[in-house]
Amino acid sequence: MKKIYCLLLCISFLSMAVQAQSWLPQPQKGSAGYRLLQCAYEGASLKACAPVSSGSPDWEVRTDSQPAAGITGAETLTFTFTSKRDLKDAGVAVAFDRYNWTSDNYVMIPASVYNGNQQRIVNREYATGLDKTDYRRKDLALTSNPIPQLSPEYGAQSRLEVNVSNTATPAITFLERSKQNGTILLTDQGIDRNNQVLDHALIVEETPDRSIASFIISAPGVRERKPEFIGFSKSPDRGISVKKGDRIVIRVTEISFPCKDVPELLSRFMKERKSHTRGEAPRNLMPMSEVLARMVKNIDGRYYIGDSWQYYCPENADWMSYGWIGGLMNTHPMLALGDAEHLQKVKNTFDFALPRAKGKSGYYYDVLGSDGKIIYRDAAFNNSGIGLTRKNGDVLYWMVKQFMLLKKQGRSNAIDQEWETNVRLLADAFVNTWQKHGVWGNYLEVETGDIAVYNTTSGAMAVAGLALASGYYGNPAYLEVACEAATDYYDNFSLVGFASGGCGGILQNADSETAVALLTSLMTLYETTGKEQYLKQSADLANLCATWTVSFSYRLPEDTPLAKLGANLTGAV
């Protein structure tokens, strides 16, 4: 018997070795369904992966299937893996396979992967921008720092790995476009072990010809590389040691439904994202009056008083960073206070910022120093004369909004005509660029108004800015361009399933800030025009924004400061 057992054991590991470093089905034939897998790791690398069969010497699996509560046609699958013997560097997984797959299909893992992250990858440090050879290239492919991605290269290995700690919801979602079918796989954070949670991994792998894709939930999660803020680092993930009789449970709710496009997929995700792992109820930690007092104190604490001028600093340096981080935006809540002291501080800020750092086109450079001179913070942009489109869009929207607020407060006489002129010139700049190029791009030439870097949805907030400016300045051309740009941006989102370009430090990666900017713009167009299409489209963008928002009570490692504070991350972006 001992010889037979050893023979079976050898056969088992030989079988696993054949499939080393791949999660894909072997042989590559079958139909949509799931596979139960046993895994062996060497460090952070998957060394062997094989199906768990009834005769497996290592694991026994019990599968329980129940209709998912309140979700028509969905089921919750509970897989209980019980170890038959002591194992080291081990793990288990469930793989959901799809055949007749294509690389055109949409894959989304909340806050981590959008459209498979199939961008062009370049190695750039944080906030260094693109290489100058990428400037003014109309054919520039959407470009990102190294991130987990399905390869855009046909024939290349294509696999991405993230842990639940990299996501806002423990889920993998995908749209099979030709089949017009959507799938949402919801799972838990991970497995309890020694009073800690070891996060599941969420893995997607495609065959070189992209005809098969596997969607894997593994326990514990073991990534070969650990995604960082920029790029990757050595992975700390490892397989685990188990004793005979130990259990690992993976629970998955699978939702499959007719789905024609990405907005419909995201709408269903928004509806179901909390159905598997319930978030905790909101906690009332402090009254809004206290929040207001603290925020006023914070903004007032960054009021700079120099020899020549005074202004609200949006960052922790004594400069004016236009838009994005709060420049000419953090003044809005101070105006809303309605008192003379804060009105004067805001007036001082406008007097400093609006006439300076302005190019001939009407656009603003990104940063103005306390000495009144332009600062080029990013190495690649040094003396290059370009500005982030998003920053100028923020300034346009929030300045018109503040003019409107002052009029609403009955303080129209506080509005300086020079302020209005500078903001009108900014609106004109956006119109001129659109009429000349038909896009606003990622970065703009501040002096000429031409496109410096193409692609992205960086100008999303300019749509809202022009919509408000059309009424404030009585110029219907502003609204016409706003509507044209909104159509272009929404159609692009509807196709690729994300928005990008608002965060200057991360090249052209997908980001939440651009998503909420486009949401705001579409809602502003609805309020301006009364057209229902913009209300529906803004709801679609709200669903995208929800993918960036933590939907469950993530359990933190007990030794972390946030865990010691009892922090609940639900609702964080």
Side-chain angles (χ1 to χ4, degrees), residues 193-464:
R193 191 169 176 83
N194 302 322
N195 294 319
Q196 293 285 346
V197 177
L198 298 180
D199 284 6
H200 289 333
L202 307 177
I203 301 164
V204 185
E205 185 168 359
E206 301 173 315
T207 54
D209 67 359
R210 308 298 184 258
S211 64
I212 303 171
S214 292
F215 302 86
I216 301 99
I217 298 165
S218 70
V222 181
R223 302 158 295 182
E224 288 197 13
R225 299 183 301 167
K226 178 185 177 184
E228 296 287 358
F229 179 65
I230 296 292
F232 295 87
S233 67
K234 186 176 180 180
S235 175
D237 304 335
R238 296 293 184 270
I240 58 175
S241 295
V242 295
K243 295 185 178 298
K244 181 180 179 180
D246 283 355
R247 294 181 176 180
I248 298 177
V249 178
I250 298 178
R251 199 171 62 98
V252 182
T253 294
E254 181 180 15
I255 308 168
S256 183
F257 53 97
C259 183
K260 67 179 184 297
D261 56 22
V262 172
E264 191 172 343
L265 180 74
L266 297 180
S267 176
R268 188 63 184 268
F269 171 80
M270 175 67 150
K271 180 181 178 182
E272 310 295 0
R273 65 194 179 111
K274 299 181 182 181
S275 62
H276 181 91
T277 303
R278 303 285 178 181
E280 295 183 11
R283 298 179 297 163
N284 298 313
L285 300 179
M286 66 177 69
M288 284 303 297
S289 57
E290 177 64 16
V291 174
L292 175 63
R294 293 191 185 196
M295 291 308 298
V296 168
K297 181 180 178 181
N298 287 344
I299 296 174
D300 274 336
R302 293 300 304 127
Y303 186 73
Y304 172 80
I305 301 177
D307 294 335
S308 302
W309 34 66
Q310 304 177 18
Y311 54 89
Y312 278 113
C313 300
E315 299 186 68
N316 56 359
D318 293 338
W319 58 39
M320 169 58 61
S321 180
Y322 291 82
W324 191 3
I325 203 69
L328 299 178
M329 299 161 68
N330 60 358
T331 45
H332 184 273
M334 311 312 275
L335 277 182
L337 294 173
D339 61 77
E341 175 193 348
H342 288 101
L343 173 61
Q344 187 57 53
K345 287 182 175 180
V346 172
K347 284 170 62 73
N348 293 339
T349 304
F350 292 172
D351 285 340
F352 171 68
L354 287 174
R356 296 177 175 84
K358 198 173 188 70
K360 294 177 182 177
S361 67
Y363 290 121
Y364 286 93
Y365 287 93
D366 285 355
V367 184
L368 180 67
S370 59
D371 58 359
K373 296 180 180 179
I374 296 166
I375 295 177
Y376 304 94
R377 285 190 297 175
D378 300 340
F381 306 149
N382 193 28
N383 298 319
S384 65
I386 72 173
L388 184 63
T389 310
R390 178 260 177 93
K391 280 174 161 281
N392 280 278
D394 285 344
V395 171
L396 177 59
Y397 173 75
W398 285 97
M399 283 308 307
V400 178
K401 196 174 178 70
Q402 288 172 103
F403 293 161
M404 294 168 66
L405 173 60
L406 285 168
K407 289 193 172 185
K408 189 74 172 177
Q409 291 174 328
R411 300 194 288 183
S412 300
N413 59 344
I415 302 173
D416 191 297
Q417 186 176 349
E418 186 181 1
W419 302 345
E420 290 182 314
T421 298
N422 279 305
V423 174
R424 179 178 53 76
L425 290 173
L426 178 56
D428 290 341
F430 274 110
V431 170
N432 292 337
T433 300
W434 186 266
Q435 290 177 342
K436 182 177 181 181
H437 297 281
V439 294
W440 286 320
N442 195 176
Y443 283 84
L444 293 156
E445 300 274 6
V446 176
E447 295 301 326
T448 66
D450 292 329
I451 309 298
V453 178
Y454 282 83
N455 284 329
T456 81
T457 329
S458 183
M461 190 56 84
V463 172

Side-chain angles (χ1 to χ4, degrees), residues 142-205:
L142 201 68
T143 301
S144 296
N145 301 99
I147 50 176
Q149 70 165 176
L150 296 176
S151 175
E153 237 179 280
Y154 182 83
Q157 182 186 28
S158 184
R159 182 202 296 178
L160 63 84
E161 302 171 326
V162 298
N163 274 2
V164 169
S165 59
N166 304 128
T167 72
T169 299
I172 305 175
T173 72
F174 52 94
L175 167 66
E176 296 173 90
R177 295 183 192 271
S178 63
K179 299 177 184 177
Q180 295 204 328
N181 190 78
T183 300
I184 300 173
L185 301 173
L186 298 167
T187 189
D188 301 301
Q189 180 181 338
I191 53 175
D192 281 297
R193 191 169 176 83
N194 302 322
N195 294 319
Q196 293 285 346
V197 177
L198 298 180
D199 284 6
H200 289 333
L202 307 177
I203 301 164
V204 185
E205 185 168 359

